[in-house]
Amino acid sequence: MVFLSEGVMTTDAYDFPDASGHFGPYGGLFVSETLIGALTELHEAYERYRHDPDFQAEFRDELEHFVGRPSPVYHARRWSQMLGGAQIYFKREDLNHTGAHKINNAIGQVLLARRMGKKRIIAETGAGQHGVATATVAALFGMECRIFMGALDVERQKLNVFRMRLLGATVVPVSSGTGTLKDATSEAIRYWATNITDTYYVIGSAVGPHPYPMMVRDFQKVIGEEIRAQAEEKFHAKPDYLVACIGGGSNAIGTIYDFRNDADVKKFCVEGGGRSDADGDNAKTLSGGGTPGILHGAYSNLLQNEDGQVIEAYSISAGLDYPGVGPEHSYFKDEGIVTYVSVTDREALDAFQRLSRIEGIIPALESSHALAVLPKLTFRRDEVQGRRARCRLSLRTWRQGCADGGKGAGGGHRMSKRMNEKLAKLCADGRTGLYIYVTAGCPSAEATVDIVRRAEEAADLIELGLPFSDPMADGPVIQAASVEALKNGMTMKKALEIVKEIRKHSEIPIVGMGYINMVNHYGFERFVTDFKEAGMDGVILPDVPHEESEEMRRICAAHDFTLTEFITPGTTEARMAETCRHAAGFVYCVSNYGVTGVKEIDYSIIGKVCSAARRYTDIPLAIGFGIGTPEAAARAAKQADGVIVGSAVVKHILDGDIDGGIQLIAAMRKALDA
């Protein structure tokens, strides 16, 4: 939607994201090591083609002849009259082929995928428009397509599901969590991690790890570019106002990006206000209770509770019920470039009906949110300016705090004395270490303590899982255990108490296994000091790659706390050398692409990974992902100094068969010793 009249162009510089993928403090790359290779490949390909004349020519040609761009600007005469004279214009993205703006980005990314030699296209979708767009473009170019969609959205968007299947796509319902867009995105990422060699993931919004927010913006900015050209042609002027609905932010960034430096153009983005201001009743990330955190690979604002767990978003619109927002939008809010507001479900529905009856245009529920704010803009501007964001700790500040905390730590990369002695003894005795993963709070806190005490008879180290609401590196078994633990009220403070209780009875090394958002929300240095004092020896953060961990490593070294490093079959020689140089405790060797407990080990591949790592470090190597039987453990032991067992044991615990889990650990120990 566009408000048009006189304006003056400004030309202030804007150069984001930076080389590391940050928009000020936001953005970045927070994913498991298994995805680093794929994201590096993607970034290199995009940088190669984004300015390539042939690529851009093909992209523009498809937009013109397949999509039908430029989309028209429509003067809503009766709507303008109803609002008292402000001249309202609609940017008719609904007239694009497939009926939405999503096709712009789908065209761009699939063209890129073809040039990268990928054979399979996957995508997530909420309302279904991105899924339809991706399926459409995949059909156009004869590529296999798989669409992940929340089970709830599959039911409420049956027509779009039918369209995707008609276009030849496989629609995968996702029932985890609330069965909505967040969960579909998580599942798509997990699938991608398992199939990265031949699969391209088309992210549909301006979210995710670098370079996705930049790519989506670049493919969608055609919307704003056309608005500027169309306004100049019709009025020799710029819009007074730009208004767009926002979930993750692709439509919004496409609309406003070309006007980012035009201070005289007032820019508004409208979120889903839902049913109320209560947690779980809205999708007000930037206009309500969102705070900085990490979701789906990037640092931005999201809806989260005091423990860093993601709060499920709600909106009557399936395209707006995402609990986060693209990092560039968080930057725009902090800088005052864009004002973020919200309207309720009721207000959106009223606008939906009103537009249908007075303009003969049936809008999407997403667009209806932008429509609903127009009366407020026109008549009561003071009510929609929004309150300035509270001063919050940015990731940049957090990083600096980590760096400061690490000063004076002394040289080297030290680790817990307890872990050091245990691993040294295993080495001296010529024994393979057995590292067992147990989810804190599953089935209860008391049971967790008991399981660890019993496991100690055969295990050499415990990975204590710190449950997170969105564990992207974990397979279905450990995900289910996290869900159960969180339902049981597990928090970081309760996990701390579990560690203290274990230490009353046991000296087995304990390493926390969690995700960065919860630890960052707790405060990293506070986490290290509190859990170290309680008796924990280190932490494993699967979604913190080496390039994002420097300051955390410094803090850990200062407190003799271990931060475990990862290597995978996709880790390059140079990256492996750098990672191993900084490694402490043990190196986590991921056996194959994917998530925990899904694939069996390819021993030839992991053998090569371990052999390569030996050239750069002499600390123990431990193989994880896919070790479910004593026989598998014994084979893996031939390649490394330790084996990590998680899903196979956790499944017994989830099934109520704790004795069976303990027996499996004992059998693993027997096989390793044999």
Side-chain angles (χ1 to χ4, degrees):
M1 224 143 287
V2 192
F3 295 66
L4 298 170
S5 74
E6 283 299 321
V8 180
M9 182 179 292
T10 62
T11 56
D12 297 338
Y14 180 92
D15 190 26
F16 289 109
D18 62 21
S20 62
H22 289 90
F23 303 85
Y26 304 106
L29 189 67
F30 295 89
V31 295
S32 66
E33 187 67 24
T34 54
L35 286 174
I36 291 295
L39 286 166
T40 300
E41 178 192 26
L42 175 61
H43 190 200
E44 290 174 349
Y46 185 60
E47 288 298 322
R48 182 162 65 251
Y49 290 115
R50 65 186 299 199
H51 301 301
D52 178 72
D54 291 339
F55 178 85
Q56 288 297 327
E58 186 175 8
F59 175 56
R60 296 289 173 173
D61 184 76
E62 294 292 353
L63 289 183
E64 180 182 357
H65 296 106
F66 187 70
V67 177
R69 303 205 73 92
S71 60
V73 168
Y74 168 75
H75 184 202
R77 293 176 292 275
R78 295 187 66 197
W79 190 278
S80 299
Q81 186 178 21
M82 182 189 72
L83 293 181
Q87 298 306 301
I88 312 298
Y89 290 80
F90 300 153
K91 181 63 170 164
R92 296 295 304 275
E93 293 296 292
D94 60 310
L95 298 180
N96 293 337
H97 181 47
T98 72
H101 70 288
K102 295 291 189 180
I103 190 74
N104 307 324
N105 173 61
I107 287 282
Q109 289 205 48
V110 174
L111 286 176
L112 182 62
R114 291 178 70 211
R115 282 165 168 77
M116 294 173 65
K118 304 299 182 181
K119 305 299 183 184
R120 182 187 299 111
I121 299 296
I122 66 169
E124 87 296 331
T125 196
Q129 291 292 356
H130 175 57
V132 170
T134 304
T136 298
V137 181
L140 175 66
F141 294 118
M143 302 178 75
E144 179 187 345
C145 184
R146 183 180 294 256
I147 307 295
F148 294 86
M149 192 172 190
L152 177 62
D153 292 335
V154 169
E155 286 302 309
R156 60 181 178 173
Q157 300 291 332
K158 289 182 178 180
L159 178 58
N160 279 335
V161 172
F162 173 78
R163 295 169 72 194
M164 286 183 273
R165 288 171 173 162
L166 185 64
L167 289 159
T170 299
V171 179
V172 182
V174 178
S175 58
S176 58
T178 57
T180 55
L181 180 58
K182 175 186 77 70
D183 310 294
T185 302
S186 298
E187 194 61 35
I189 292 173
R190 296 183 190 110
Y191 182 89
W192 187 36
T194 309
N195 300 276
I196 61 174
T197 54
D198 62 354
T199 298
Y200 184 101
Y201 179 19
V202 180
I203 291 183
S205 197
V207 300
H210 183 60
Y212 277 107
M214 174 179 65
M215 288 200 313
V216 174
R217 176 199 72 192
D218 290 351
F219 291 135
Q220 291 291 6
K221 68 182 181 180
V222 63
I223 301 171
E225 292 170 348
E226 288 179 6
I227 290 173
R228 185 184 292 278
Q230 289 165 324
E232 178 63 29
E233 179 184 355
K234 289 178 180 290
F235 307 103
H236 308 290
K238 293 184 298 179
D240 280 327
Y241 293 79
L242 290 173
V243 184
C245 59
I246 180 171
S250 63
N251 168 61
I253 204 71
T255 300
I256 64 181
Y257 181 71
D258 199 60
F259 296 88
R260 65 197 179 280
N261 296 323
D262 295 279
D264 55 325
V265 179
K266 299 177 179 66
K267 297 170 280 287
F268 291 85
C269 290
V270 188
E271 297 185 308
R275 296 175 292 233
S276 75
D277 289 337
D279 288 350
D281 257 8
N282 61 77
K284 296 164 57 174
T285 302
L286 293 178
S287 61
T291 54
I294 295 165
L295 176 66
H296 295 149
Y299 183 80
S300 187
N301 282 278
L302 66 140
L303 301 175
Q304 56 189 325
N305 66 14
E306 62 183 10
D307 212 43
Q309 304 293 345
V310 180
I311 296 173
E312 302 290 351
Y314 161 79
S315 172
I316 194 171
S317 165
L320 300 186
D321 60 357
Y322 184 67
V325 68
E328 195 161 16
H329 286 291
S330 288
Y331 177 78
F332 282 166
K333 177 178 179 176
D334 284 2
E335 295 299 309
I337 295 171
V338 181
T339 299
Y340 295 85
V341 298
S342 67
V343 299
T344 65
D345 286 353
R346 185 70 265 164
E347 290 173 311
L349 286 171
D350 288 346
F352 172 87
Q353 293 177 331
R354 190 175 297 120
L355 185 74
S356 300
R357 291 170 182 176
I358 71 171
E359 290 287 352
I361 297 172
I362 302 175
L365 284 174
E366 291 81 2
S367 303
S368 300
H369 285 71
L371 289 165
V373 86
L374 298 189
K376 302 181 184 183
L377 284 174
T378 305
F379 299 113
R380 301 189 299 276
R381 299 183 186 185
D382 60 313
E383 292 185 9
V384 298
Q385 293 306 305
R387 293 173 292 177
R388 292 195 62 84
R390 296 172 297 182
C391 181
R392 303 186 180 112
L393 182 68
S394 73
L395 188 60
R396 179 170 289 172
T397 306
W398 170 67
R399 286 173 173 167
Q400 187 58 53
C402 290
D404 294 342
K407 289 179 180 178
H413 301 277
R414 296 175 288 173
M415 58 181 169
S416 159
K417 180 181 178 183
R418 183 186 297 107
M419 186 188 296
N420 186 34
E421 290 178 348
K422 168 62 76 172
L423 297 180
K425 188 174 189 309
L426 286 169
C427 181
D429 295 343
R431 300 178 73 214
T432 302
L434 179 58
Y435 308 166
I436 300 298
Y437 174 94
V438 178
T439 303
C442 178
S444 68
E446 296 76 16
T448 302
V449 175
D450 182 63
I451 291 167
V452 171
R453 291 181 64 183
R454 294 178 65 186
E456 188 179 8
E457 296 181 11
D460 301 298
L461 181 146
I462 296 295
E463 290 184 10
L464 186 67
L466 306 173
F468 184 51
S469 51
D470 197 47
M472 290 189 299
D474 292 318
V477 172
I478 292 178
Q479 287 181 58
S482 288
V483 169
E484 180 167 336
L486 291 172
K487 285 182 178 178
N488 292 338
M490 183 52 49
T491 64
M492 292 289 279
K493 290 181 180 178
K494 290 182 179 180
L496 188 67
E497 294 305 311
I498 288 175
V499 175
K500 291 178 180 178
E501 191 63 30
I502 292 171
R503 279 291 167 253
K504 293 179 181 179
H505 314 284
S506 173
E507 281 300 307
I508 191 169
I510 301 172
V511 179
M513 178 72 145
Y515 287 79
I516 180 59
N517 193 61
M518 357 167 6
V519 175
N520 181 38
H521 200 80
Y522 190 89
F524 188 76
E525 186 160 20
R526 178 188 169 207
F527 168 82
V528 171
T529 55
D530 286 0
F531 278 78
K532 171 75 176 182
E533 184 180 358
M536 186 174 280
D537 301 283
V539 66
I540 301 171
L541 299 171
D543 57 342
V544 181
H546 187 75
E547 50 266 65
E548 298 281 3
S549 69
E550 181 179 357
E551 288 77 20
M552 287 184 284
R553 282 184 271 118
R554 292 175 183 167
I555 278 189
C556 288
H559 296 280
D560 295 330
F561 200 75
T562 300
L563 179 66
T564 297
E565 301 278 359
F566 287 82
I567 57 175
T568 77
T571 303
T572 64
E573 196 80 7
R575 187 176 182 85
M576 186 174 293
E578 176 70 8
T579 300
C580 289
R581 183 170 69 87
H582 292 281
F586 65 94
V587 177
Y588 197 126
C589 303
V590 178
S591 65
N592 47 40
Y593 294 114
V595 295
T596 57
V598 174
K599 282 186 175 181
E600 294 184 359
I601 289 178
D602 187 326
Y603 295 95
S604 63
I605 292 176
I606 193 58
K608 293 177 182 177
V609 172
C610 292
S611 296
R614 292 290 189 204
R615 297 197 292 268
Y616 304 109
T617 184
D618 58 359
I619 69 170
L621 308 178
I623 297 176
F625 287 41
I627 299 175
T629 65
E631 293 75 20
R635 290 190 67 185
K638 296 177 181 179
Q639 312 288 346
D641 307 291
V643 296
I644 302 168
V645 182
S647 296
V649 172
V650 173
K651 188 174 188 309
H652 280 285
I653 296 171
L654 278 173
D655 293 340
D657 183 20
I658 293 175
D659 289 343
I662 299 300
Q663 291 167 9
L664 177 60
I665 296 170
M668 294 275 189
R669 180 75 272 166
K670 184 177 180 181
L672 293 177
D673 288 344

